[in-house]
């Protein structure tokens, strides 16, 4: 792959911001990022399905699959000390509806997402980006402020909905773009092809 | 210090140091392997990932904050000398050290009751921290602490092979596991593999194999050869850091074994993410102790490996 293109974006993201992105591009994001993992997705959808509104309007924002380590300061404010991404596939079954109902423009996580999510992204002009898994301290460094936290009592620290103000948050690698292209799907078929060669070299019988 | 001077509270302090070091400071061998990989990598997306990883490691070390927000499940492996003065107290001390490290923000509370969905809030609970004790000769307590992220636990594989096909299934099992889970366990990974009579034995030994430093080969030359063969095979897959391609898919493959039963050939396969957080120490009966693993340390001007 040739050298990656680099973008510096700010929320709220517009359709044209997202439409310019292609798989393999690297993004550094500034503005508002809202965390949601398994339970926050479920709860948010429950609220939206019953006609309610979320504590924060997600239109144009980035939703981050993340359960941070947060420490309460003496003045009562929160400091985030580690905030890398969690595995996105766990949210794959509900993400299409989540994108549809919230209008979030960028989903950030790790490990990639599936076909239905890619379809929803194509339809709603959204994209999925991978933040370096495990890089919790690096992520925390880009989080300048905790603007709010919702559902903390109900869901706990890791599952709560945190609203972060971030500056140059990244590197975020686009692996699903608004055309529905999926980088991991392409890479993983190449890895599977190489696995056959590797197995032959290990003296393993050819697969039927 | 007299033999009676070592107390449970001293042990708690030592274990706390170990937990804190593991959470915030990567072992030397892992750091070197990642840095070498970064210097050799030519694929721009893969290089970007390794660059972010190295930056993260340095930030965690200088800020004394967790390397990864998933501070994992805590594991202690004890090799306890039968004449070491504190035994049951060592178990209590391990639990207390984890509790304190959680309270101080080095560990995220990750212990959840599966039936009641309740998070204990301090990383302790039924069987957590997981403490594996081997009773050995002598007066010392050797301790390994590892904290292992949830994502890297997903690929754990147990194969109950027919003995005739054992080594064939071991090799294909390792390749298939890494291909199947792709970017999910945060590659470059360390792979632990073990053969045993029972499934529980194979998985425990595979997990313990992850404790050996990168580059240290099994002393048996045939096993060492298999480790290298599998490591090279995995690095030809082109999966790379976070699945973005490139040459560094696995940092190492570690193999161990127990004698098996004539009818069984259990194969345990366990992966650890790039953020392999482990620390080892030896504690003497008189209360003196040394950390036996080396870690990236902050010196005031930056992070470095202390000689």
């Amino acid at each position: 792959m040739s050298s990656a293109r680099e973008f510096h974006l700010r929320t709220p993201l517009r359709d044209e911001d997202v439409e310019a992105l292609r798989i393999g591009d690297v993004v550094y994001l500034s503005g508002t990022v809202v965390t949601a993992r398994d339970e926050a997705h479920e709860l948010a959808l429950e609220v939206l399905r019953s006609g309610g509104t979320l504590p924060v309007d997600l239109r144009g924002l980035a939703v981050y699959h993340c359960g941070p380590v947060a420490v309460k300061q003496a003045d009562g404010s929160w400091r985030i000390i580690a905030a890398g991404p969690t595995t996105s596939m766990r949210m794959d079954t509900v993400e299409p509806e989540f994108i549809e109902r919230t209008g979030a423009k960028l989903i950030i996580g790790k490990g990639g997402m599936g076909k239905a999510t890619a379809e929803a992204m194509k339809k709603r002009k959204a994209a999925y980006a991978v933040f370096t898994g495990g890089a919790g301290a690096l992520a925390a460094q880009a989080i300048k402020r905790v603007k709010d936290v919702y559902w903390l009592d109900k869901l706990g620290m890791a599952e709560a909905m945190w609203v972060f103000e971030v500056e140059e948050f990244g590197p975020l690698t686009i692996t699903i773009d608004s055309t529905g292209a999926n980088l991991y799907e392409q890479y993983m078929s190449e890895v599977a092809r190489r696995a056959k060669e590797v197995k032959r070299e290990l003296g393993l019988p050819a697969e039927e | 210090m007299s033999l009676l001077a070592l107390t449970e509270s001293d042990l708690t302090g030592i274990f706390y140091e170990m937990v804190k070091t593991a959470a915030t400071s990567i072992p030397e061998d892992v750091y070197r392997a990642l840095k070498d990989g970064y210097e050799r990598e030519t694929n721009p997306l893969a290089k970007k990932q390794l660059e972010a990883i190295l930056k993260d490691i340095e930030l965690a070390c200088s800020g004394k904050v967790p390397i990864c927000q998933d501070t994992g499940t805590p594991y202690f492996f004890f090799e306890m000398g039968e004449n070491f003065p504190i035994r049951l107290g060592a178990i209590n001390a391990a639990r207390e050290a984890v509790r304190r490290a959680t309270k101080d923000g080095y560990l995220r509370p990750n212990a959840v009751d599966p039936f009641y969905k309740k998070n204990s809030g301090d990383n302790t609970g039924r069987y957590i921290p997981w403490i594996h004790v081997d009773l050995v000769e002598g007066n010392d307590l050797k301790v390994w602490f590892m904290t292992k992220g949830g994502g890297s636990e997903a690929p754990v594989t147990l194969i109950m092979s027919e003995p005739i096909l054992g080594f064939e299934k071991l090799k294909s099992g390792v390749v298939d596991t890494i291909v199947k889970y792709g970017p999910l366990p945060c590659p470059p990974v360390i792979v632990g593999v073990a053969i045993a009579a029972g499934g529980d034995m194979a998985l425990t030994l595979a997990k313990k194999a992850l404790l050996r430093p990168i580059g240290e080969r099994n002393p048996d030359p045939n096993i060492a050869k298999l480790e290298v063969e599998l490591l090279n095979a995995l690095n030809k897959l082109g999966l790379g850091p976070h699945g973005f391609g490139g040459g560094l898919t696995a940092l190492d493959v570690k193999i161990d074994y127990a004698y098996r039963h004539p009818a069984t050939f259990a194969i345990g396969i366990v992966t650890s993410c790039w953020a392999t957080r482990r620390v080892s120490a030896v504690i003497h009966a008189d209360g003196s102790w040394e950390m036996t693993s080396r870690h990236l340390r902050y010196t005031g001007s930056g992070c470095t490996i202390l000689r």
Side-chain angles (χ1 to χ4, degrees):
Chain A
M1 171 159 255
S2 63
S3 200
R5 295 193 304 167
E6 209 171 282
F7 290 79
H8 297 260
L9 299 177
R10 181 169 287 279
T11 64
L13 299 168
R14 300 158 304 170
D15 279 358
E16 51 267 42
D17 293 328
V18 178
E19 280 169 325
L21 301 172
R22 288 291 173 273
I23 52 172
D25 287 346
V26 173
V27 172
Y28 291 86
L29 186 70
S30 299
T32 305
V33 170
V34 181
T35 72
R37 51 190 279 170
D38 311 57
E39 292 189 29
H41 272 76
E42 282 187 324
L43 185 53
L45 286 174
E46 239 173 68
V47 169
L48 293 169
R49 281 172 197 150
S50 60
T53 50
L54 297 183
V56 49
D57 183 356
L58 297 177
R59 271 175 296 178
L61 300 187
V63 170
Y64 186 23
H65 298 151
C66 166
V69 182
V71 178
K72 201 160 197 170
Q73 311 280 84
D75 66 359
S77 67
W78 290 96
R79 180 178 158 234
I80 303 297
I81 59 169
T86 194
T87 302
S88 298
M89 282 308 283
R90 292 200 316 271
M91 278 62 77
D92 207 36
T93 51
V94 294
E95 205 70 82
E97 186 186 348
F98 190 88
I99 292 166
E100 185 80 31
R101 288 187 187 270
T102 63
K105 281 289 175 200
L106 188 63
I107 306 293
I108 304 167
K110 79 172 178 85
M113 300 195 81
K115 279 194 170 53
T117 298
E119 268 310 304
M121 288 181 162
K122 188 174 169 183
K123 194 170 148 208
R124 305 299 292 195
K125 300 295 168 212
Y128 171 77
V130 166
F131 182 77
T132 307
L138 182 66
Q141 197 207 24
I143 298 168
K144 298 303 165 193
R145 197 164 69 90
V146 174
K147 293 167 81 171
D148 262 311
V149 55
Y150 300 103
W151 305 337
L152 185 61
D153 288 345
K154 192 178 165 83
L155 304 183
M157 185 194 290
E159 299 275 355
M161 187 174 253
W162 294 88
V163 186
F164 297 147
E165 186 180 306
V166 301
E167 203 61 48
E168 292 287 300
F169 180 64
L172 305 173
T173 308
I174 302 295
T175 75
I176 298 173
D177 64 27
S178 62
T179 71
N182 192 333
L183 183 71
Y184 275 138
E185 237 172 57
Q186 297 176 14
Y187 275 173
M188 290 314 289
S189 61
E190 170 64 13
V191 168
R193 191 189 62 73
R194 290 205 200 182
K196 285 188 182 160
E197 288 168 29
V198 161
K199 284 183 173 181
R200 201 162 41 239
E201 286 171 28
L202 286 171
L204 298 169
E207 285 158 55
E208 57 285 352
Chain B
M1 205 184 264
S2 81
L3 193 133
L4 289 172
L6 177 70
T7 63
E8 188 178 309
S9 138
D10 295 335
L11 277 185
T12 303
I14 296 168
F15 294 157
Y16 177 88
E17 272 308 302
M18 293 178 75
V19 173
K20 184 178 157 183
T21 300
T24 59
S25 178
I26 207 97
E28 174 191 17
D29 58 299
V30 180
Y31 181 69
R32 283 192 197 286
L34 290 165
K35 212 169 162 82
D36 284 357
Y38 170 74
E39 272 148 26
R40 278 202 306 269
E41 187 58 67
T42 54
N43 174 321
L45 279 183
K47 202 170 177 82
K48 197 110 201 156
Q49 295 305 308
L50 290 166
E51 186 190 320
I53 285 169
L54 291 169
K55 215 185 278 175
D56 178 69
I57 289 171
E58 280 159 28
L59 281 170
C61 155
S62 55
K64 296 190 171 50
V65 294
I67 293 165
C68 174
Q69 80 296 332
D70 183 359
T71 62
T73 297
Y75 290 79
F76 285 89
F77 294 90
F78 285 170
E79 280 183 10
M80 183 168 290
E82 60 174 339
N83 296 318
F84 187 74
I86 295 177
R87 291 175 292 274
L88 187 57
I91 308 279
N92 297 336
R95 294 176 69 89
E96 182 55 26
V98 162
R99 240 178 245 130
R100 270 190 218 170
T102 308
K103 193 166 157 274
D104 293 348
Y106 296 112
L107 299 177
R108 185 181 71 185
N110 279 344
V112 180
D113 183 311
F115 286 99
Y116 299 97
K117 265 193 158 184
K118 192 177 160 42
N119 191 317
S120 69
D122 65 2
N123 277 306
T124 70
R126 187 173 162 80
Y127 291 116
I128 295 293
W130 186 264
I131 303 171
H132 180 98
V133 182
D134 289 319
L135 202 56
V136 299
E137 283 180 8
N139 309 319
D140 294 339
L141 172 62
K142 285 190 183 159
V143 184
W144 287 260
F145 174 76
M146 175 164 64
T147 184
K148 197 164 175 306
S152 77
E153 199 59 15
V156 164
T157 301
L158 174 66
I159 300 168
M160 298 303 287
S161 176
E162 308 87 316
I164 288 172
L165 296 177
F167 283 99
E168 191 177 307
K169 291 224 170 146
L170 184 152
K171 290 180 185 179
S172 63
V174 168
V175 174
D176 290 344
T177 298
I178 298 305
V179 171
K180 179 177 172 196
Y181 290 94
L184 296 181
C186 290
V189 292
I190 302 174
V191 185
V193 186
I195 303 163
D200 53 342
M201 303 169 191
L203 285 172
T204 300
L205 290 175
K207 190 154 271 165
K208 279 183 82 176
L210 296 174
L211 301 172
R212 278 167 44 211
I214 288 170
E216 183 191 291
R217 295 270 65 88
N218 190 298
D220 181 305
N222 284 315
I223 303 173
K225 197 174 148 223
L226 185 56
E227 287 177 342
V228 173
E229 190 185 9
L230 286 171
L231 176 62
N232 291 339
L234 293 180
N235 285 332
K236 281 185 194 165
L237 290 173
L239 178 66
H242 289 293
F244 287 125
L248 196 62
T249 296
L251 299 171
D252 210 348
V253 176
K254 302 291 188 191
I255 304 177
D256 199 359
Y257 69 99
Y259 275 32
R260 61 176 181 84
H261 179 279
T264 65
F265 196 111
I267 304 159
I269 301 169
V270 177
T271 57
S272 175
C273 54
W274 70 258
T276 291
R277 286 151 291 169
R278 53 166 151 70
V279 52
S280 58
V282 55
I283 304 163
H284 307 292
D286 66 0
S288 62
W289 71 289
E290 302 91 48
M291 215 173 261
T292 46
S293 52
R294 289 207 301 199
H295 299 264
L296 203 67
R297 298 255 181 206
Y298 186 62
T299 59
S301 55
C303 282
T304 181
I305 294 161
L306 291 184
R307 297 285 108 205

